[in-house]
Amino acid sequence: KSEVTERFRNKTFILSTSRPNRKGFKFLSYGDLGLGRFSEGTIRNIVNRSLIDQVDFVMHGGDIGYGDDQTVPFKKCGLPALKTGPSAYETVYDVFMNQIEPLASSIPYMVIPGNHERSCNIVSDWICPQGMRNFSTYRKRFRMPSQLSSSDSMFYSFDYGNVHIIGINSETDYLGAP
């Protein structure tokens, strides 16, 4: 196991999707949020500004952590520099999930895949091991509501108060894909 892998452990958080007896609700929605100089301040503000107490849930609409972009400046995140390739892909996810953990472990953190969740390399699948293609890492890491939805979190929907929320993956044609 690498030094980086040892710093992170798998954690599972189970959260309810509704606060009873409440009129109205607020949620935070964003996409294209990862590691590096363009996202550091955003992640810090989301986690540090007590948004946990101000919103009921988060909708992260794809491009989660940018695991397929191994140009991430790990030293800025307090980690040793990584070589590019499949092992870096999982590490990017680990680091990103660690950074958003204060939020994602406190309120529901709903995700839907984007093009950067497709495989371990932004350019092509050909260098990726079989287990890191076809949204494999996304499907193993995230479990969204699955009643009347796809079982692998590629598409889902849920009710929150008097609103029906729908998560649609625009990166596959489904049914039967990725």
Side-chain angles (χ1 to χ4, degrees), residues 22 88 130 158 163:
R22 188 159 177 214
Q130 191 61 35
F158 62 96
V163 176

Side-chain angles (χ1 to χ4, degrees), residues 8-176:
F8 302 99
R9 298 283 181 214
N10 290 335
K11 297 178 185 177
T12 301
F13 301 102
I14 299 172
L15 305 163
S16 89
T17 57
S18 175
R19 295 181 187 168
N21 303 320
R22 188 159 177 214
K23 293 182 181 181
F25 64 91
K26 294 179 182 178
F27 69 96
L28 177 61
S29 179
Y30 52 78
D32 299 292
L33 185 64
L35 298 178
R37 63 185 176 146
F38 298 116
S39 296
E40 276 181 0
T42 303
I43 293 171
R44 188 172 42 254
N45 284 328
I46 289 169
V47 172
N48 293 340
R49 288 189 178 199
S50 299
L51 289 180
I52 294 167
D53 298 327
Q54 297 176 33
V55 298
D56 294 289
F57 62 92
V58 171
M59 288 290 298
H60 190 152
D63 299 346
I64 306 161
Y66 289 102
D68 62 346
D69 182 1
Q70 281 91 39
T71 61
V72 174
F74 283 93
K75 288 186 178 184
K76 290 185 85 175
C77 300
L79 298 170
L82 293 175
K83 294 180 180 177
T84 60
S87 63
Y89 181 60
E90 292 291 342
T91 303
V92 172
Y93 267 105
D94 290 344
V95 173
F96 178 76
M97 297 305 292
N98 189 56
Q99 287 185 346
I100 63 161
E101 183 179 319
L103 181 66
S105 65
S106 301
I107 61 174
Y109 196 88
M110 313 305 290
V111 295
I112 198 74
N115 63 313
H116 292 275
E117 282 72 57
R118 181 178 51 86
S119 71
C120 77
N121 186 280
I122 194 167
V123 176
S124 173
D125 280 348
W126 69 271
I127 69 159
C128 302
Q130 191 61 35
M132 292 184 186
R133 299 178 186 170
N134 295 328
F135 299 91
S136 296
T137 296
Y138 170 85
R139 293 185 343 228
K140 289 175 186 169
R141 286 179 180 261
F142 300 106
R143 295 287 180 259
M144 297 296 106
S146 60
Q147 187 178 17
L148 303 177
S149 305
S150 70
S151 62
D152 56 8
S153 303
M154 300 295 273
F155 302 90
Y156 62 88
S157 66
F158 62 96
D159 292 320
Y160 197 92
N162 64 348
V163 176
H164 188 71
I165 309 288
I166 301 171
I168 298 174
N169 169 18
S170 63
E171 298 300 320
T172 60
D173 294 332
Y174 251 88
L175 264 27

